[in-house]
Each structure stands twice: as structure tokens, then as C-alpha cells.
Amino acid sequence: MHRLSEEYEALRKSVEDFAHDVVAPVIGDYYEREEFPYDIVRQMGRMGLFGLPIPEEHGGMGGDYFALCLALEELARVDSSVAITVEAAVSLGAMPIYRFGTDEQRAEWLPRLASGELLGAFGLTEPGGGSDVPGGMRTTARLDGGEWVINGTKAFITNSGTDITGVVGVAAITGERNGKPEISTILVPAGTPGFTVSKKYSKVGWSASDTRELSFSDCRVPAENLLGERGRGYAQFLQTLDEGRIAIAALSVGLAQGCVDESLGYVRDRHAFGKPIGAYQAIQFKIADMETRAFTARLAYYHAAEKMLAGEPFKKEAAIAKLVSSNAAMDNARDATQIFGGYGFMNEYPVGRFYRDAKILEIGEGTSEVQRMLIARQLGLNDL
Amino acid sequence: MEHARPARAPLGDGARRGERQARVNTGGRRLTMKSGINIVVCVKQVPDTATVRKLRAEDSTIDREDPNSSGVLNELDEYAIEEGLRLKEAHGGEVTILTMGPAKAAETIRKALAMGTDKAVHLMDPALHGSDAVQTSYAMAQTLKKIGFDLVILGSESTDARTGLLAAMLAERLGVPQLSLANKVVVDGSAISIHRVTDYGYDRVESSLPAVVSVVEKTNEPRYPRLKEIMAAKKKPVTTFGIADVEIDPGRIGLAGAYTEVAEFAVAPPRAAGVVVKDEGDGGVKVADFLTSKKFI
């Protein structure tokens, strides 16, 4: 059922080796300096990570979304900043262009996004609205002389302000249909006049990733930059976010497993009262619980991905995977930090970084509360 | 296609940095190169250095089927593969993987193919079990004669036996020059030159092709297998030869006739405590003496 095929296993191992050899030795310093790791991104591009689910004819690796998830898990076992950089670039940046874009849009962006030469981003959340779409959305776009004129602000947008950011998909209200706001997605290339990228946020975690506030002030792009059909923006990002939940689940499982990896090493070396602390049941039970959480959360995301790739409905499974794996990440980060004691509170140890990186997993791409709403809705409880 | 040029004395900084010249006589052998270089990279599956490695009690050979010690592609061979791929990218041609080992070594072939090499040859025969370096070089040379080559590249040693003998022995058996311990490889037409790492800098060694080159770990940065090549690897041709296929004399291989014998073995003792230098005014000298004794300075 959930045994990896030879190809998936070879990919997993390749990314595991890469994360261990290339990311692990340097990422702590990038994190400390809150610096975007261009060199690591370049190398991830070289090994095809930004093109995993994109067909070869568009410059990708010809794999599927599960291949992306496996890579994200292995990256996040070592560091979540680089994992979220890939996740946002592929799942939120490139995939909507692949799924909904015209041939011209695909040809213009996909080869460079799939190779990691450029990064994509997606602007949905706004300062006054995250889960509450379209109610909280204020950004508008109107057609004027063959151009979209965009006005508004987007918040917490990953990959939107790097030197290699190529394009941002911006969700905007483009009119009204049957008394409801009509939402569309418009591709805005980096550097378009009227598109301003603010300085980086100071974040609790994911410190080596790029997250910005974006503002649009009479920003004009050609009418053909509309992504897919006008008025389909809401449906587009619901699909994007359903998939994205599986990717965030994979990333969460990676962090949860990374906590186990780090703890297993530490409890052998660290002695207290004459024994390695791993010899004490209090520690053993903690680690057993951590391993159990990571393992079961992994099964949940494998299962959701399996349904998705089979073309079956997977909304509930994706929500469950995201809920259970972000819980696992948070719980494991707390336990690993506790096992490390004072060292766990030091930024120079990976578990300190894991602790800071875990919280956002219960928030981004649908909060845990939203996941519960989705699960309850899938169980038919909304009709009561 | 450019042809071999006479060796030229290095100019400028090469000489200043301790470059020495050597030229290997190739006896004017004709190349098989028509379009690009026919490169064969010899690889070996070895026990993962990160796990506990075991020898079999019954015949003191490495337990290559030990489930607790996964077999991996010898780390130094990854540099050889990368160098082969880079030369192919620059000059065209083909990179063939050659390995000798039991059925399990097919895992290593798949990894090498997933790095982007073109095809593989697996020399596999129960009679080869226990062959030492002399016998292995004979078996490999027989295979290389059969499949043909312009350039054979090897890692400078394997991380299991660490004899580092195979490149030299192969070159001798094949009657071609050996360019050993390279950290830089340049092919120009049918000429090849390398930088051989030394204590004092490097030697520049030139020969014509065909040749055998062994590379050290500073040569390059081996690529990580990408999904596209991982999937393509399945469709690449792997030829399996038994000893009869490459005219190996069974009397010249195998444990019984090996020139070397493992007399006994023991588990390495745990690492002793390090040396603590107490600074009594002469701490710097003591540290320097220690580093000198270990050839760090």
C-alpha cells in the first residue's frame, strides 16, 4: 500500500543526501542572518526540485505531485525555510500556471520556474483577510484600454521579493456576478511599475525564506495576463490550496521526523546521573511518541496524495493530513526542545530552529480550525 | 577533431606553485574516438561507511549481503562518474558504467545510471568471489578489452578495502598510460592531461588516449540524481557478463587462488582520548609539533 516505488525511493534518497550534505552545514547561519540562501536555491534548481511535478516539455522533471511531497519532507527534515521556498515556488507559483495558463503563459514562465532560475509566488492573503475569501478581499483589478489596473495590498507572500522572483499570481476582485464579488487571478511580473515589494517581515520562524507585503497602486499589466478564465479565481485557488495542504503536510512530517533524528543522536551522547539520557524511560517514551506521530502523519499524507493522483476526491484526506501532521510537528518540536534542555533553547541547535518553524504549520495554507471546518463539512455536518 | 600536441612546459603560475611535468609514452596507439569520447567509469558497491561493517567469519571477505549494512556506491566513484559526465558534456561521447560484484551491485548500477550515465556492464559470476586486487584487475581488464574504451576513470580507492591499486594494475594489463590521483582532468583532442595532487602542489601529467585515470575527491562536485534521470535509468541498457563471456580464465580468479589472504581480523578498538596540550609557555610549539607530526603543516 504505502511502500515507495523504486523511483520514488531513489528520489527520496537523493534529496535526503542533498539536504544532509548541502543544506545542513550552512542553513543555520543563513537562518541566523535572516538571509535568503541563493546558493542552495541554485543547487536545488540544478537537481530539478523546482520542476518535480511539471512535465518535461515545460522544462520539468516529468514527475508528479507526490514526488514533490517526498522532496519537501526530506528538505524539511533538515530545514523548513528551504522546503517552504520550494513548496511556494512550485505548488503556489508554477502549478497554477501549468494547470490554468495559456500556451503562451506556460511557454513564458514554466521553463524558468521549473529550473529554479526564477521563483513564482501567489498573492491571495491580505492584511485584513486570510481564510475569509472573498469577504476579506479588497484588492481589485479593472480592465482599462486592454490592460488590467490593479490596486490593493497582499500580506505574507512567500518568494515575492527575492532577486530571482519572476512572477506573482495576484487574486483580485474583477467585478460582480449574481451579486457576489467575481475573483480572478492575474499574473504580475516582478518589476512591473506600480507593484511595490516591502521589506522582509521579521518572522518567528522560516527565517531564511522570503516573505513580504506587496502593494499595487494603479499597477498595469496586459489583459492577456489573466490566468485562466475570468471569474474562476476562487475555484482555481481552492484546487491549488487542496493540493498545497498535502505539500504542507509533507513539510510538517519532515519537521516532525527531523525532531526524532536530532533527539536520537542527542540522547545517546548526553549523560545524566551516570547514564545516557536515552536510557531513561521518560525520554524513551517521549521519543516513541514522537516517532509515532511522524509515522502516522506520513501515512495520512501518503494516503491523501494517493487519492489525489488517482483522480478521486481528496479534500477531506488532505485536510486530515494537514491537521494531523502540523499537530505532529508542533508536538515533536516541543518534545525535542524539552529533551535538549537548555541547548534546545539555543538557536545554534537545529531543534531550536524546528521549534520556531513549527508554529506556522498550524496557520499557513489553512489554519487548523479551517481544516476542522473542512473535515466537518465533508462529514455532512454543515447541513444540520 | 584535434590531434595530440607535444607536451609543453608550463608557463607562469603553474611552475611557481610547484608544478612538475611528466609525460607518459603511449606508444602511438590508435584511438577508437570518432565522435566524442568512449568513457568507461569503474564503480564498486561498498558497505555504507556510516554503518558497522562486517567480515564473514568463514572466509574473511566482506559480508556484502549484510542487511544491517546497506550497500552504497563507493563515494570516490561518484567523483569519477561526475568527471566522466563532464567530459562527455564537453566533448560528446558516452559514459558506460562497469562494475564487478554480486547481484546486489545492480543497486549501485542504478544509482550511477540515475546520475546520467548512458549504459552499464555488470560482471557477475560466483567464481569471482574473494578475488583480490590482482585478480580483480585481470577480470576487469578482460571486460574492458571486450567492451572497448578511450578513457577509463576510477575513484582513487574504494572505501572498503582501500588498496588504491586497481587503476595502476588495470593500466598495466591494458597496456595504456595511467594518470593517477587527478584533481583536474582536461581532454584536448586525443590528448589528456591531469593535475596530480601532491604534498607540494601538483604535477601536470599528460598522455594521449586511450588511458586510465584515477580521480581524488577534490576533482569536482558530484551531481545528485534528478527525478528525470532516475526514471530514465530504468530504460538504459545493462549488460551482464559471466566470466566465460569475457574470456576470463577461472584459474586466475577467486578466493582459492588469491595472492593475498586475510590472516585475521578484529573490530577496531574505540578511539582513544585525544592529546591535551597544557600551555606552560610552550603550548604553541607543542601544538605546532603535533600538527607537523601529523603532516598538517
Side-chain angles (χ1 to χ4, degrees):
Chain A
M1 280 282 287
H2 292 302
R3 298 284 296 261
L4 294 182
S5 71
E6 202 180 284
E7 285 86 357
Y8 283 141
E9 174 56 23
L11 172 72
R12 191 203 63 72
K13 181 77 176 84
S14 187
V15 181
E16 180 186 14
D17 290 345
F18 173 84
H20 182 266
D21 301 345
V22 177
V23 180
V26 296
I27 195 62
D29 290 339
Y30 281 109
Y31 198 89
E32 193 76 24
R33 297 194 300 267
E34 302 193 1
E35 183 183 328
F36 189 75
Y38 287 103
D39 187 53
I40 295 175
V41 168
R42 186 185 55 75
Q43 293 184 68
M44 292 195 295
R46 186 181 163 207
M47 73 177 291
L49 298 189
F50 291 98
L52 284 173
I54 295 171
E56 289 184 39
E57 74 233 49
H58 298 299
M61 290 287 116
D64 54 30
Y65 205 83
F66 184 56
L68 171 67
C69 291
L70 288 174
L72 292 173
E73 182 188 334
E74 287 304 328
L75 289 173
R77 257 176 97 177
V78 168
D79 177 68
S80 289
S81 293
V82 296
I84 195 60
T85 299
V86 173
E87 196 275 343
V90 180
S91 178
L92 304 181
M95 285 305 273
I97 296 177
Y98 168 57
R99 285 205 198 290
F100 313 118
T102 61
D103 287 347
E104 290 74 22
Q105 288 166 343
R106 288 170 156 196
E108 180 174 6
W109 297 111
L110 287 181
R112 287 181 293 168
L113 294 175
S115 67
E117 182 190 335
L118 293 179
L119 296 178
F122 190 68
L124 174 62
T125 301
E126 302 193 359
S131 305
D132 179 19
V133 175
M137 191 177 283
R138 298 285 173 269
T139 299
T140 61
R142 63 183 166 81
L143 270 178
D144 175 53
E147 289 180 323
W148 291 105
V149 184
I150 307 169
N151 282 285
T153 308
K154 294 289 173 184
F156 318 132
I157 310 304
T158 303
N159 286 344
S160 60
T162 71
D163 297 346
I164 53 173
T165 298
V167 62
V168 183
V170 178
I173 296 168
T174 48
E176 221 182 67
R177 234 182 237 188
N178 309 324
K180 284 186 183 163
E182 173 198 86
I183 297 175
S184 308
T185 306
I186 295 160
L187 297 178
V188 181
T192 304
F195 167 25
T196 313
V197 180
S198 75
K199 74 178 177 65
K200 278 202 222 180
Y201 292 102
S202 169
K203 292 173 295 195
V204 169
W206 286 359
S207 298
S209 76
D210 181 87
T211 317
R212 314 261 183 165
E213 185 173 282
L214 311 179
S215 60
F216 300 89
S217 171
D218 286 334
C219 173
R220 303 178 83 93
V221 295
E224 55 266 28
N225 282 24
L226 178 70
L227 184 67
E229 265 178 72
R230 180 170 177 168
R232 295 288 297 164
Y234 191 62
Q236 286 170 5
F237 60 69
L238 283 190
Q239 185 180 342
T240 303
L241 292 182
D242 276 342
E243 293 173 357
R245 285 187 185 114
I246 306 177
I248 295 293
L251 207 147
S252 305
V253 170
L255 190 149
Q257 193 66 52
C259 290
V260 178
D261 298 342
E262 289 299 317
S263 299
L264 279 176
Y266 185 75
V267 302
R268 286 188 167 91
D269 293 343
R270 172 73 179 189
H271 284 66
F273 311 107
K275 283 196 279 190
I277 61 171
Y280 296 101
Q281 200 179 54
I283 299 292
Q284 290 177 357
F285 277 19
K286 253 191 192 26
I287 295 181
D289 283 344
M290 290 161 67
E291 173 73 5
T292 303
R293 289 184 204 117
F295 180 82
T296 49
R298 180 177 301 112
L299 290 183
Y301 100 70
Y302 277 22
H303 180 67
E306 194 176 27
K307 292 201 84 168
M308 179 194 138
L309 292 180
E312 296 167 23
F314 64 97
K315 196 178 264 297
K316 185 179 76 175
E317 288 75 12
I320 289 173
K322 206 254 172 187
L323 179 63
V324 74
S325 62
S326 56
N327 274 342
M330 196 64 197
D331 289 348
N332 281 14
R334 187 192 60 237
D335 283 353
T337 303
Q338 191 68 19
I339 288 170
F340 273 68
Y343 292 111
F345 201 58
M346 298 298 118
N347 277 327
E348 66 178 288
Y349 282 82
V351 292
R353 185 153 42 84
F354 292 160
Y355 189 74
R356 288 170 58 185
D357 289 341
K359 184 60 209 169
I360 185 62
L361 298 167
E362 295 185 323
I363 300 170
E365 299 206 28
T367 60
S368 293
E369 291 72 20
V370 163
Q371 309 308 327
R372 291 186 172 93
M373 275 168 54
L374 291 168
I375 297 163
R377 195 178 292 162
Q378 292 297 311
L379 293 171
L381 295 175
N382 267 38
D383 302 333
L384 294 180
Chain B
M1 180 71 59
E2 269 187 75
H3 290 282
R5 290 187 310 197
R8 209 174 56 177
L11 301 170
D13 68 346
R16 280 202 299 278
R17 278 153 59 191
E19 177 171 303
R20 284 197 327 195
Q21 278 275 97
R23 180 150 176 88
V24 185
N25 183 8
T26 61
R29 179 183 298 269
R30 268 197 70 232
L31 276 187
T32 59
M33 296 168 72
K34 285 183 189 72
S35 54
I37 318 173
N38 179 11
I39 300 166
V40 179
V41 179
C42 300
V43 305
K44 183 180 187 184
Q45 185 175 47
V46 296
D48 191 341
T49 48
T51 60
V52 179
R53 291 166 285 175
K54 283 204 300 239
L55 297 185
R56 306 192 325 165
E58 61 269 35
D59 63 3
S60 302
T61 61
I62 289 173
D63 186 353
R64 299 191 187 275
E65 310 286 334
D66 178 7
N68 296 318
S69 178
S70 55
V72 297
L73 172 60
N74 176 41
E75 231 173 277
L76 288 158
D77 297 346
E78 292 188 20
Y79 299 93
I81 293 170
E82 180 65 35
E83 204 54 37
L85 291 171
R86 287 180 186 202
L87 289 172
K88 177 195 157 176
E89 282 157 10
H91 303 280
E94 221 177 23
V95 181
T96 304
I97 293 298
L98 170 59
T99 197
M100 177 177 124
K104 197 172 185 293
E107 300 163 4
T108 289
I109 289 179
R110 274 193 294 276
K111 162 104 192 252
L113 291 174
M115 287 176 75
T117 55
D118 299 291
K119 58 190 169 68
V121 173
H122 187 170
L123 178 60
M124 173 168 62
D125 200 301
L128 291 162
H129 173 74
S131 295
D132 64 8
V134 172
Q135 296 167 307
T136 298
S137 66
Y138 162 68
M140 298 282 278
Q142 288 298 100
T143 314
L144 283 161
K145 282 177 194 165
K146 168 102 178 175
I147 62 179
F149 62 91
D150 298 322
L151 178 60
V152 178
I153 311 179
L154 303 89
S156 55
E157 62 182 19
S158 62
T159 57
D160 52 0
R162 309 206 85 129
T163 63
L165 294 169
L166 195 63
M169 289 177 169
L170 271 184
E172 187 63 25
R173 290 190 186 277
L174 295 166
V176 301
Q178 181 208 188
L179 299 88
S180 60
L181 305 176
N183 70 351
K184 184 181 176 187
V185 180
V186 177
V187 170
D188 184 358
S190 56
I192 181 167
S193 73
I194 65 145
H195 286 184
R196 171 185 293 151
V197 287
T198 63
D199 286 344
Y200 48 81
Y202 62 86
D203 291 338
R204 192 163 133 226
V205 185
E206 290 181 4
S207 84
S208 59
L209 295 174
V212 173
V213 169
S214 70
V215 298
V216 296
E217 60 201 327
K218 291 165 198 139
T219 310
N220 53 43
E221 202 180 288
R223 64 196 64 188
Y224 293 86
R226 308 193 307 167
L227 183 61
K228 192 158 77 176
E229 284 78 18
I230 289 170
M231 294 194 297
K234 250 190 155 174
K235 300 180 197 95
K236 291 177 180 172
V238 178
T239 309
T240 303
F241 287 137
I243 58 168
D245 299 317
V246 290
E247 291 163 36
I248 290 171
D249 174 358
R252 296 177 65 182
I253 52 167
L255 189 64
Y259 292 82
T260 57
E261 187 188 346
V262 177
E264 59 180 311
F265 63 88
V267 177
R271 191 174 293 187
V275 181
V276 178
V277 175
K278 224 180 195 169
D279 187 11
E280 289 157 345
D282 58 351
V285 175
K286 281 180 180 166
V287 169
D289 284 348
F290 174 79
L291 291 174
T292 308
S293 76
K294 301 286 177 195
K295 291 200 167 174
F296 281 113
I297 52 177

